[in-house]
Structures are given as C-alpha cells and as structure tokens.
C-alpha cells in the first residue's frame, strides 16, 4: 500500500471529491481524519472506510473558524501523533450574480470558506507536517485559473485563483522542510456542490456563446467523476510525486481549453 503508516486530513470528506479521496487514501493504508460540517455525512464516510478494514476518525468543524480548525488538528495529533497529508478540499460555490447585485456579505462568505478555510487548514497542520515532511493538496477549480466564461461567479473565481497563488507561496516556504504543496483544478465533476449554488439574474450579463456539441472534449460532454479526481490526489500524496511541488494540475477533460 502506497500510504501505509501515513496520517491524512481531508476536508469536505462527507461527499463528492473529499469522500472519494478519503476512501481511496484509506484503501492505500492511510489513517484518515475525515472533516466536514455535517456529522451524518462524515459518519457515513468513516463507516465505509472502517467497513473496508481501514482506520478513520470523524471531525465536525467549520474550516472558516480558526478555533475549530486548531482544535481539529490537535485532535488528530493527539490520536495518531502525526500528520503527513493534508487535502484542503472543502469549499462552496456560493452566490453567482452580477457584480452590482452581489452583496458584500455574499462575497465575504465565499472568500471566508474557500480561501480563509484553506489558509486555516494548512496553517494549523504545518507544525506537524514539518516534523517529517509531507504533502498538501488544495482543491481549486478551472474557474479563475483557466476558465472565465462562468459570468457572475466572480467571488468564486477570485477565491480559486487566490488558492493557486497561496499554493505557490507556501510550496516555496515549506520546501526546506520537505513539505510538498500542489493544487488541483477540476472541471465539471459529478458532485453535490451545484446543489448549493445560488445563481441569480445571470441572463442579463452572460455573453451569448454557442459551444460545439459536448463541452468536455475528452468525453463528448460527460463530466468527470470524484473517483478520477481522487486518483490524482493519491498520486500527489504519494512518493510517486516526490519531486512535484508548487504546481497546478487541471483535471477537466480539456474543458477549460475549449471554454476558457
């Protein structure tokens, strides 16, 4: 197993990409701290890991709250004595609306969860990562990095672009401690995140564009799966990626090249 003896923290582990990654990393030998905001969903992820012979612990916390994240990291360290892998995956789409209709509160919520949440997740884990080295993977998006055609997703795109800059800054800062930091940029993936997206009055600001049939060239329009993204996370978490740091990797079936 590629991750035997390793301890991994995965945020947003109750569904979608986070859940798929938690299950796969556990299968490869990692002890998984599955963190999320909903006790029921996190419990299901942990139960599935344990049912397959893996080891996991549930942690309920809001990634945008410093005290909750500090306590979560301390709980993991107290239980297993180390942290080797951090998958800062949790995030929201938030409100997508014309700029004059997007409220400051809506902007703040998206930035607080997506950007501040990533910062807090990594910040409090760093002292433990430094002890033996490790891997940090951040979930960004094609939006704000290579694709800017989702009009109205301004707060979301800005938070995702900032995550790439954060990754590159931290990768250099932590390199001497043998901590690798990389960022993945998924395109359309079958998850539940769209259910929490608030799209408001976008028709009047969206540019009319007619894409070729099948907006995802590699699959004739079919979205990717959480399991495919989890395979990329496993690669970046493993020793197979031992010389990769400060790098963004798009996993979108060439969608962003077509729609950028």
């Amino acid at each position: 197993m590629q991750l035997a003896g390793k301890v991994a923290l995965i945020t947003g582990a109750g569904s979608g990409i986070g859940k798929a990654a938690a299950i796969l990393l556990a299968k490869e030998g990692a002890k998984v701290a599955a963190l999320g905001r909903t006790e029921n969903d996190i419990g299901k992820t942990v139960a599935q890991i344990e049912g397959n012979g893996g080891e996991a612990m549930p942690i309920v916390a809001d990634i945008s709250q410093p005290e909750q994240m500090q306590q979560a990291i301390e709980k993991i360290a107290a239980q297993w004595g180390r942290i080797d892998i951090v998958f800062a995956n949790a995030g929201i789409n938030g409100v997508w609306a014309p700029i004059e209709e997007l409220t400051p509160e809506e902007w703040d919520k998206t930035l607080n969860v997506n950007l501040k949440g990533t910062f807090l997740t990594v910040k409090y884990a760093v002292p433990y990562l430094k002890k033996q080295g490790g891997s940090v993977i951040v979930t960004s998006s094609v939006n704000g990095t290579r694709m800017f055609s989702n009009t109205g997703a301004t707060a979301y795109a800005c938070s995702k672009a900032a995550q790439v800059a954060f990754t590159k800054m931290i990768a250099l800062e932590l390199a001497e401690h043998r901590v690798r930091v990389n960022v993945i940029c998924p395109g359309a993936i079958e998850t539940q995140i769209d259910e929490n997206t608030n799209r408001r009055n976008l028709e009047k600001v969206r540019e009319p564009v007619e894409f070729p049939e099948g907006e995802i060239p590699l699959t004739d329009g079919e979205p990717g799966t959480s399991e495919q993204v989890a395979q990329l996370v496993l690669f970046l978490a493993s020793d197979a990626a031992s010389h990769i740091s400060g790098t963004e990797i798009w996993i979108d079936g060439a969608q962003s090249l077509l729609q950028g």
Side-chain angles (χ1 to χ4, degrees):
M1 293 188 289
Q2 298 182 62
L3 304 179
K6 306 286 188 181
V7 172
L9 164 63
I10 299 175
T11 66
S15 64
I17 293 170
K19 181 175 183 177
I23 291 168
L24 181 59
L25 268 58
K27 182 180 178 182
E28 289 295 330
K31 299 174 182 177
V32 173
L35 186 147
R37 294 187 64 180
T38 306
E39 186 174 356
N40 184 54
D41 288 343
I42 292 297
K44 290 178 181 178
T45 299
V46 170
Q48 189 167 344
I49 290 171
E50 292 177 340
N52 291 325
E55 188 172 351
M57 64 185 297
I59 300 179
V60 177
D62 181 342
I63 62 168
S64 69
Q65 299 302 312
E67 288 186 5
Q68 293 185 33
M69 288 309 297
Q70 186 172 16
Q71 291 170 2
I73 298 295
E74 290 173 353
K75 182 178 179 181
I76 299 166
Q79 177 75 17
W80 288 321
R82 60 188 294 157
I83 297 174
D84 304 274
I85 300 160
V86 174
F87 182 26
N89 166 73
I92 59 172
N93 276 357
V95 175
W96 293 15
I99 189 68
E100 68 269 27
E101 297 181 18
L102 186 67
T103 69
E105 293 77 17
E106 290 165 346
W107 171 277
D108 286 345
K109 181 176 181 179
T110 300
L111 271 291
N112 280 339
V113 174
N114 292 353
L115 184 56
K116 183 181 177 182
T118 297
F119 160 68
L120 294 175
T121 300
V122 177
K123 170 184 170 60
Y124 291 119
V126 160
Y128 300 99
L129 290 164
K130 281 183 174 181
K131 291 181 180 180
Q132 71 285 311
S135 175
V136 175
I137 303 111
V138 174
T139 298
S140 178
S141 172
V142 293
N143 290 288
T145 59
R146 226 165 49 172
M147 199 164 85
F148 298 88
S149 52
N150 278 318
T151 305
T154 309
Y156 179 75
C158 287
S159 72
K160 293 294 152 180
Q163 283 178 314
V164 174
F166 174 85
T167 295
K168 292 175 184 288
M169 293 295 296
I170 300 305
L172 193 57
E173 180 179 335
L174 299 181
E176 66 175 298
H177 302 286
R178 301 299 182 264
V179 178
R180 298 180 294 105
V181 190
N182 294 290
V183 57
I184 63 174
C185 302
I189 305 294
E190 291 180 340
T191 70
Q192 298 175 357
I193 194 168
D194 279 340
E195 297 175 7
N196 300 317
T197 306
N198 185 349
R199 293 178 173 86
R200 195 169 65 222
N201 297 330
L202 296 175
E203 294 76 13
K204 60 185 179 182
V205 294
R206 182 178 287 124
E207 288 291 331
V209 178
E210 185 175 342
F211 288 107
E213 183 177 351
E215 296 177 10
I216 306 173
L218 193 62
T219 58
D220 293 325
E222 291 297 317
T225 67
S226 296
E227 288 72 21
Q228 288 173 315
V229 181
Q231 289 289 344
L232 176 57
V233 174
L234 172 60
F235 167 69
L236 292 172
S238 75
D239 290 340
S242 60
H243 203 53
I244 301 175
S245 192
T247 298
E248 64 266 58
I249 301 177
W250 286 271
I251 177 166
D252 68 347
Q255 176 188 11
S256 59
L257 298 177
L258 177 67
Q259 293 186 238

